Amino acid sequence: MEKVIVEICMGTTCFVMGGSGLEEFVDLLDDEEKAQVEVRPSSCVGLCKDREFGKAPYAIVNGVPVSEATVASIACKVRAFIK
């Protein structure tokens, strides 16, 4: 099974808006779920340039943008891809 790829934006805007703590979403996953996830911090995912994607902070889960990302919203999106 391919891993769920989670890119977390660490660009200035996202970092200031709470992106610095988003990697902690893995704490909400059980061990089996954690084994199916790969976290990739990104210097910038470029979504803040287009208002279509909402507001920072951003994450991208398997290519799907998550705006106003929280630890809980990322964990939820990851679980949707795992199940």
Side-chain angles (χ1 to χ4, degrees), residues 6-26:
V6 180
E7 295 177 76
I8 297 177
C9 186
M10 294 294 174
T12 303
T13 301
C14 287
F15 189 88
V16 170
M17 298 296 288
S20 62
L22 292 179
E23 289 178 331
E24 294 176 10
F25 81 89
V26 295

Side-chain angles (χ1 to χ4, degrees), residues 1 4 30 32-33 36 75-83:
M1 173 179 249
V4 176
D30 63 36
E32 197 172 297
E33 292 169 327
Q36 298 179 60
C76 182
K77 184 69 77 174
V78 165
R79 285 188 178 114
F81 279 102
I82 290 174
K83 308 227 183 243

Side-chain angles (χ1 to χ4, degrees), residues 10-69:
M10 294 294 174
T12 303
T13 301
C14 287
F15 189 88
V16 170
M17 298 296 288
S20 62
L22 292 179
E23 289 178 331
E24 294 176 10
F25 81 89
V26 295
D27 294 340
L28 299 179
L29 304 178
D30 63 36
D31 290 339
E32 197 172 297
E33 292 169 327
K34 287 178 188 176
Q36 298 179 60
V37 176
E38 181 179 334
V39 180
R40 297 180 183 169
S42 174
S43 60
C44 183
V45 296
L47 296 177
C48 58
K49 297 174 185 171
D50 188 343
R51 293 178 192 244
E52 171 188 347
F53 295 109
K55 297 179 182 177
Y58 295 100
I60 299 177
V61 180
N62 268 7
V64 178
V66 180
S67 65
E68 297 182 66

